[in-house]
Amino acid sequence: MGLDRRSFLRNGLVAGGGAALLGTGPHAAALVRSGRPQLTHGVQSGDMSARGAVVWTRADRPSRMLVDVSTRPDFRRFSTVRGPLLTPDTDLTGKVRLDGLPSGERVYYRVRAADLNDASLVSAPVPGGFRTAPRTRRDVGFVWSGDLAGQGFGINPDIGGYRIFKAMQAVDPDFFLCNGDHWYADNPIQATVTLPDGRIYRNLTSPEKSKVAETLAEYRGQHRYNLMDDNLRAFAAAVPQINQWDDHETHNNWYPGEILDDANYTEKRTDVLSARAKQAFFEYLPITQQPHDDGRIYRKISYGPLLDVFVLDMRTYRNANGPDDQTTDRQGILGARQAEWLKRSLAASRATWKIVASDMPISLVVPDADRIEAVSQGDNGGPLGRELQIAGVLSSIKKHRVRNVVWITTDVHYTAAHHYDPAKAAFQDFDPFWEFVSGPLNAGAFGPNTLDLTYGPTVRFQAVPPRANTSPLEGSQFFGEIAIDGHSGELTTRLRDYSGKVLYTVDLPAQR
């Protein structure tokens, strides 16, 4: 049972595993600077539960992370959690899991960094907040998208930077789900990009974004670049996150064991590059670390009795990109273990709605030169290749009578609504469902992709740019919103553009 306001303030907080106290170690004397420490890239929160969340920050020197937490915005009463040391080992980043918080409430926090040699030297506090998950039925809403700083289109001060984050914050969501491609490690950012119509797209730049990322320092710099944006920092402080990854955190269309044929890279082994990218990913995002379970990214986040979110990883465990026409495929795009976890976890869920956050679409054909990058290859017949694994998941959902499953994705740089009907499908052992596509946040816009008809999808809506690779200056930047009514259980999906304008809406009643 969650603590009420009085017991929360009386008993204080519990720090999760991320707050394990570390010795001063060899870093206490490193990066010695005069004056007070400073927090360099704001604060973030994520992976919420009914009792807490992960809180993140970064300092300018080795220091101790401190988090003040209150149910009051004025902090007239608060508890302080001692977080980890912020050291060069993690690029001076750190995160702590707060626990013991009251459920279903707005929680306010402020993060400080304390000097390791003089406890009186403490940084100015940087505030943030999040809502803990409810334990009872109430309205729940979130936004999702992905694809940030892609195709060379970065933070443009002429249009107010990453303006879409301001529009998402205006929706006042309970949380933001990033489907992946938080950064484009393989897309350098130059000061200017000349558009086909002669206009100039201007970018803020940084040293790490001047080339493709190969070293750990360069991967860390990808995220620091995004946090230069005022809108993103304000959004991250106000709205907690659920994060997954896709390919561009490492390299376009990569798969395990791949050796790159890319002249821009001196390190060709994607296994080496992805390990560095993953370390930076966990260092720079408020994501729960799971060191005893292969450091996996796929997981379930429960947000009260109305919502479970199943976060997939279609990158780490996939087989090699190829024709995708094999007649048996146990590894698929999820790997056998993750696929079984998804079937088992969906069947066990007691939440009204089950949102499957998929970093790639189910039936949109995504090519990788003459190979297949996503699930479907466009043959429109029975399942082949990676489709076999997804068919198994869909059949399991039907077999176990799992109701109210909705898939959301990004990846293809346009927005769409797809309805899947077994009566129109070559493969029919599944119940009807919806898949919603959104994005990009700030990248080149493309589409539409070819739709594979194996699972009987119909395009109910799509919004695409007038030509391939339009810049954020030209619009075609999108995010999605899902709102669940606490009384009726009805789920409403709204597909929105970068200004927050609603382009498409569908209401889905909860099935019993």
Side-chain angles (χ1 to χ4, degrees), residues 92-110:
L92 302 172
T93 67
K95 53 191 173 184
V96 57
R97 181 156 196 102
L98 307 179
D99 204 358
L101 300 176
S103 63
E105 290 197 33
R106 183 74 180 175
V107 174
Y108 303 89
Y109 67 88
R110 58 192 183 193

Side-chain angles (χ1 to χ4, degrees), residues 143 148 157 159-173 176 229-236 238-239 441-442 479 496-501:
V143 293
L148 190 57
I159 59 175
Y162 293 154
R163 54 189 173 177
I164 198 169
F165 286 97
K166 186 177 292 186
M168 290 195 297
Q169 189 170 349
V171 173
D172 190 28
F176 167 59
D229 180 74
D230 293 339
N231 299 317
L232 175 52
R233 287 200 313 277
F235 181 78
V239 180
L441 288 164
N442 195 99
F479 69 95
R496 297 175 179 263
D497 70 6
Y498 68 91
S499 70
K501 178 183 176 182

Side-chain angles (χ1 to χ4, degrees), residues 235-250:
F235 181 78
V239 180
Q241 310 163 29
I242 299 175
N243 291 295
Q244 65 189 135
W245 76 344
D246 192 29
D247 55 337
H248 288 285
E249 286 87 358
T250 302

Side-chain angles (χ1 to χ4, degrees), residues 34-345:
S34 61
R36 298 177 182 273
Q38 297 181 25
L39 301 184
T40 60
H41 291 81
V43 294
Q44 304 178 75
S45 65
D47 280 14
M48 319 70 55
S49 70
R51 295 181 59 81
V54 175
V55 171
W56 173 98
T57 198
R58 181 178 186 271
D60 68 340
R61 69 194 72 180
S63 50
R64 170 74 68 186
M65 181 180 180
L66 303 172
V67 185
D68 301 328
V69 190
S70 179
T71 56
R72 299 176 56 112
D74 59 9
F75 285 87
R76 291 186 66 178
R77 293 183 178 180
F78 63 89
S79 295
T80 300
V81 170
R82 275 167 60 89
L85 293 182
L86 310 178
T87 76
D89 287 345
T90 58
D91 201 30
L92 302 172
T93 67
K95 53 191 173 184
V96 57
R97 181 156 196 102
L98 307 179
D99 204 358
L101 300 176
S103 63
E105 290 197 33
R106 183 74 180 175
V107 174
Y108 303 89
Y109 67 88
R110 58 192 183 193
V111 182
R112 298 170 291 140
D115 187 271
L116 296 182
N117 299 309
D118 185 345
S120 68
L121 296 178
V122 181
S123 71
V126 177
F130 57 86
R131 294 188 186 100
T132 53
R135 293 189 182 277
T136 58
R137 293 173 66 97
R138 70 158 176 80
D139 294 353
V140 173
F142 69 93
V143 293
W144 89 92
S145 190
D147 303 317
L148 190 57
Q151 289 69 54
F153 300 121
I155 303 168
N156 185 339
D158 297 338
I159 59 175
Y162 293 154
R163 54 189 173 177
I164 198 169
F165 286 97
K166 186 177 292 186
M168 290 195 297
Q169 189 170 349
V171 173
D172 190 28
D174 287 307
F175 60 89
F176 167 59
L177 192 152
C178 186
N179 266 143
D181 293 343
H182 292 74
W183 57 74
Y184 278 66
D186 52 344
N187 285 192
I189 298 290
Q190 306 300 329
T192 61
V193 179
T194 302
L195 304 179
D197 62 6
R199 286 186 295 170
I200 301 298
Y201 187 98
R202 291 200 307 125
N203 286 312
L204 299 182
T205 60
S206 73
E208 292 86 358
K209 288 298 296 181
S210 66
K211 66 177 290 292
V212 299
E214 300 178 80
T215 67
L216 176 58
E218 289 164 349
Y219 281 111
R220 287 165 166 169
Q222 307 300 303
H223 204 98
R224 287 202 305 273
Y225 175 81
N226 283 338
L227 289 172
M228 292 166 59
D229 180 74
D230 293 339
N231 299 317
L232 175 52
R233 287 200 313 277
F235 181 78
V239 180
Q241 310 163 29
I242 299 175
N243 291 295
Q244 65 189 135
W245 76 344
D246 192 29
D247 55 337
H248 288 285
E249 286 87 358
T250 302
H251 183 275
N252 184 46
N253 297 346
W254 76 272
Y255 52 83
E258 182 183 14
I259 304 299
L260 297 179
D261 180 15
D262 188 331
N264 293 314
Y265 284 77
T266 57
E267 175 55 73
K268 308 287 189 180
R269 298 167 295 173
T270 59
D271 288 353
V272 173
L273 295 172
S274 63
R276 294 168 181 168
K278 190 173 187 179
Q279 180 173 337
F281 183 86
F282 274 99
E283 288 174 344
Y284 270 87
L285 291 171
I287 180 174
T288 304
Q289 197 92 25
Q290 302 184 72
H292 302 301
D293 201 357
D294 74 9
R296 77 185 202 198
I297 291 170
Y298 72 87
R299 61 205 187 280
K300 184 186 83 169
I301 304 289
S302 293
Y303 203 82
L306 291 177
L307 178 63
D308 278 347
V309 181
F310 299 85
V311 183
L312 303 187
D313 178 358
M314 289 181 158
R315 191 58 49 184
T316 304
Y317 312 101
R318 63 166 53 202
N319 51 22
N321 291 354
D324 200 35
D325 58 0
Q326 59 270 32
T327 56
T328 59
D329 188 355
R330 189 167 184 268
Q331 183 175 357
I333 200 166
L334 297 172
R337 181 183 179 193
Q338 182 179 188
E340 292 306 310
W341 165 84
L342 180 58
K343 295 174 189 177
R344 184 174 63 252
S345 299

Side-chain angles (χ1 to χ4, degrees), residues 301-494:
I301 304 289
S302 293
Y303 203 82
L306 291 177
L307 178 63
D308 278 347
V309 181
F310 299 85
V311 183
L312 303 187
D313 178 358
M314 289 181 158
R315 191 58 49 184
T316 304
Y317 312 101
R318 63 166 53 202
N319 51 22
N321 291 354
D324 200 35
D325 58 0
Q326 59 270 32
T327 56
T328 59
D329 188 355
R330 189 167 184 268
Q331 183 175 357
I333 200 166
L334 297 172
R337 181 183 179 193
Q338 182 179 188
E340 292 306 310
W341 165 84
L342 180 58
K343 295 174 189 177
R344 184 174 63 252
S345 299
L346 283 168
S349 173
R350 295 296 174 262
T352 302
W353 289 96
K354 298 87 178 170
I355 301 295
V356 181
S358 174
D359 40 306
M360 304 212 76
I362 296 173
S363 293
L364 292 175
V365 179
V366 184
D368 176 17
D370 60 348
R371 301 172 295 185
I372 293 299
E373 156 70 354
V375 175
S376 294
Q377 66 294 105
D379 74 331
N380 297 328
L384 293 172
R386 293 167 177 163
E387 290 175 331
L388 293 162
Q389 190 175 65
I390 300 303
V393 172
L394 298 178
S395 294
S396 176
I397 291 171
K398 179 181 179 180
K399 176 182 177 181
H400 292 95
R401 299 181 180 180
V402 182
R403 306 302 183 209
N404 308 315
V405 179
V406 171
W407 296 65
I408 61 174
T409 190
T410 303
D411 187 67
V412 289
H413 295 230
Y414 68 97
T415 189
H418 302 147
H419 183 257
Y420 289 78
D421 184 351
K424 300 176 181 179
F427 172 81
Q428 298 184 320
D429 187 24
F430 67 95
D431 292 326
F433 67 97
W434 286 81
E435 174 190 52
F436 298 104
V437 185
S438 197
L441 288 164
N442 195 99
F446 295 85
N449 288 46
T450 300
L451 193 64
D452 186 305
L453 303 180
T454 297
Y455 305 123
T458 300
V459 177
R460 295 291 182 87
F461 171 81
Q462 65 184 21
V464 299
R467 57 177 177 79
N469 200 25
T470 56
S471 79
L473 283 177
E474 302 160 87
S476 296
Q477 312 289 294
F478 306 103
F479 69 95
E481 175 198 3
I482 285 181
I484 304 173
D485 185 273
H487 176 69
S488 68
E490 182 175 76
L491 181 147
T492 298
T493 299
R494 302 179 183 95

